[in-house]
Amino acid sequence: MDFGLTDEQDMLRATARQFVADVCPAEKAKQWDEEGVVPPELFRGMAELGWFSLPFSEEEGGDGGGPLELILIAEELGRASFDVAMCYIGVLIPGITVFRWGTEAQREFIRKQVMTGRHRLAVGLSEPDSGSDAAALRTTAEDHGDHFLVRGQKAWCTGGGLPDTTIATYVRTGSREPKHGGISLLLVDPSTDGVEVRRTPTLARHILGTNEVFFNDALVPKENLVGPRDEGWKVMLSNIELEKVIITGGYLGAAQATLDEMLEYARTRHAFGRPIGNFQALAHAMADLQTEIDSARLLAYRAAWLLAQGKPCTREGSMAKLKGSETYVAAARLGMQVCAGHGFSTESVMSFRYRESIVATISGGTSQIQRNGIARSMGLRSY
Ligand SMILES: Cc1cc2nc3c(=O)[nH]c(=O)nc-3n(C[C@H](O)[C@H](O)[C@H](O)COP(=O)(O)OP(=O)(O)OC[C@H]3O[C@@H](n4cnc5c(N)ncnc54)[C@H](O)[C@@H]3O)c2cc1C
């Protein structure tokens, strides 16, 4: 068993760490969040470093990076904020899905537009009445000759309101019984007549922003169908483990940065004539937190290793997502206690971590849904 990184992986991590220090330190990420700014330098920088093409093979125009390389980038970006990490992951995952299942024209679009950072993708799966039970989606796409006529509503479409973005939209093209059948993936240009994107006000994650998307008889060309018609559920599932593993990288980075920030505060803030970090009550809590973060990291790296070997990792991916997201929430909660009044001021980075962390156990599949998957893998029945 080898727990070390290769020289190339070490170098990638160092490059990503420097990128965050130069382009998006946590204070900057907080400012972007507060101002709702979409930073072009962030997307441009990631594209220039070749990160959007990293997981594709060299013949496909990429660099052949594996899941661990993607986690390392996500981890470093997560140190800025999870939202910053999602600026990368949220484009990368649908890009991989479309490239895997798409037509030659769609693959060319990914190569020329998405891998180069000129264009983004967002995902429209959830709906107002279907989140965890995503296959219960009701947005329909009726066959109208060379187009689909799309009607319905999506919710929580993150990044779907940004310029130069295509929404990878899961729609019902077939029967609702069984619910996992009859679903297809369509690429939708949000400027299409009949499509309206409306920003949802949220506690955090304001860089990408999340949106409701309304489809009022929108005509979408048939050539925008990705993968086999009525098999969209299979298309969606094809990258779900990779998504869980990479977003865990984002949580890990955010949790580690949160711990580093509270440690720094605990070393410099004095009470009763000594640094507050010397009080055993705080020191043990921070020691426990580092242990939790390391556990989450090991779970994520194990799942990445399994994925790289082409082995199943449904259980391990869910464990990583569960532990990583819960640990970020716990880190921010402890950070608020350690930083106390200073943390409660909205000028502090810790207050930003606290505000942002709370949704980690919800988006990307809730903690309960991850536990259901783990329980199912143990032979226990769950829904
Ligand atoms: C910031 C943010 C970004 C998001 N980005 C996207 C995106 O880009 N694209 C997209 O399609 N979606 C996105 N989502 C949607 C996200 O996937 C859903 O919010 C999530 O799956 C939970 O769905 P829900 O909010 O409808 O909660 P519900 O499914 O209504 O769940 C409510 C509660 O019931 C629990 N619950 C539900 N079913 C079970 C069960 N079987 N067993 C035990 N407990 C259960 C849940 O865990 C939760 O605690 C995003 C959400 C957020 C908040």
Side-chain angles (χ1 to χ4, degrees):
M1 203 173 284
D2 184 357
F3 287 99
L5 296 179
T6 63
D7 289 347
E8 288 78 13
Q9 288 165 342
D10 259 333
M11 209 185 307
L12 177 66
R13 184 165 61 178
T15 304
R17 187 159 295 189
Q18 194 58 49
F19 177 76
V20 168
D22 294 343
V23 177
C24 51
E27 295 75 14
K28 191 66 155 175
K30 176 176 184 286
Q31 187 190 337
W32 287 336
D33 177 84
E34 285 164 359
E35 294 171 1
V37 166
V38 184
E41 63 270 38
L42 176 63
F43 288 97
R44 196 175 50 239
M46 293 192 292
E48 282 169 5
L49 286 164
W51 290 350
F52 289 119
S53 57
L54 182 65
F56 301 94
S57 70
E58 284 177 23
E59 306 82 71
E60 289 163 342
D63 288 309
L68 186 55
E69 281 77 12
L70 302 180
I71 291 190
L72 292 175
I73 295 175
E75 213 175 328
E76 293 307 320
L77 291 173
R79 294 182 72 86
S81 74
F82 183 71
D83 201 12
V84 165
M86 280 310 290
C87 290
Y88 178 54
I89 304 164
V91 173
L92 193 73
I93 292 293
I96 295 173
T97 304
V98 174
F99 197 83
R100 174 165 177 183
W101 294 93
T103 60
E104 195 37 54
Q106 289 164 349
R107 289 159 74 93
E108 193 59 8
F109 161 71
I110 298 294
R111 244 183 243 116
K112 292 259 168 66
Q113 300 296 323
V114 179
M115 287 191 202
T116 55
R118 291 193 187 101
H119 201 87
R120 286 178 277 259
L121 292 169
V123 176
L125 172 64
S126 305
E127 298 187 355
D129 294 327
S130 54
S132 301
D133 188 8
L137 66 87
R138 292 201 297 214
T139 297
T140 55
E142 274 174 27
D143 196 323
H144 271 238
D146 51 5
H147 284 75
F148 288 108
L149 186 75
V150 183
R151 283 195 193 116
Q153 185 185 341
K154 292 290 166 186
W156 307 111
C157 179
T158 302
L162 299 186
D164 306 316
T165 300
T166 293
I167 303 178
T169 311
Y170 290 88
V171 292
R172 192 159 289 288
T173 41
S175 159
R176 295 189 67 187
E177 291 293 336
K179 67 181 176 183
H180 297 97
I183 294 173
S184 299
L185 174 58
L186 289 183
L187 294 179
V188 177
D189 175 353
S191 68
T192 306
D193 282 348
V195 178
E196 188 197 340
V197 179
R198 210 179 286 165
R199 182 80 172 245
T200 304
T202 53
L203 269 178
R205 307 270 295 269
H206 296 139
I207 299 177
L208 284 172
T210 193
N211 306 274
E212 290 178 290
V213 185
F214 299 86
F215 299 90
N216 298 310
D217 293 346
L219 281 171
V220 176
K222 280 238 175 96
E223 67 248 29
N224 290 17
L225 176 72
V226 181
R229 184 168 168 166
D230 292 343
E231 291 186 31
W233 191 252
K234 187 167 84 181
V235 171
M236 192 277 293
L237 287 185
S238 64
N239 271 323
I240 199 155
E241 312 309 348
L242 181 64
E243 177 180 353
K244 280 188 227 165
V245 167
I246 308 176
I247 65 175
T248 302
Y251 296 137
L252 282 173
Q256 186 65 62
T258 305
L259 176 56
D260 294 349
E261 287 152 9
M262 76 179 88
L263 265 177
E264 179 61 24
Y265 189 76
R267 285 195 190 101
T268 51
R269 173 78 180 177
H270 285 70
F272 299 95
R274 72 203 72 184
I276 58 168
N278 285 9
F279 296 121
Q280 195 182 63
L282 299 189
H284 279 191
M286 289 187 278
D288 284 347
L289 178 59
Q290 186 63 70
T291 308
E292 296 293 312
I293 293 172
D294 283 11
S295 313
R297 186 175 287 114
L298 288 171
L299 285 172
Y301 287 12
R302 175 180 69 167
W305 180 83
L306 286 168
L307 269 177
Q309 305 297 311
K311 296 188 174 165
C313 78
T314 305
R315 180 213 296 240
E316 292 79 3
S318 288
M319 285 177 169
K321 201 280 174 184
L322 174 65
K323 188 73 182 168
S325 58
E326 296 279 345
T327 302
Y328 183 26
V329 175
R333 178 68 193 89
L334 180 63
M336 290 296 284
Q337 199 63 30
V338 170
C339 295
H342 169 77
F344 192 64
S345 158
T346 54
E347 288 181 348
S348 72
V349 167
M350 196 56 74
S351 68
F352 168 52
R353 303 281 189 200
Y354 186 61
R355 190 160 51 77
E356 179 189 73
S357 65
I358 207 73
V359 78
T361 58
I362 298 169
S363 59
T366 68
S367 287
Q368 288 75 24
I369 294 302
Q370 305 311 325
R371 288 191 181 96
N372 283 351
I374 298 164
R376 210 176 299 124
S377 77
M378 296 160 66
L380 299 168
R381 187 168 174 174
S382 63
Y383 296 91

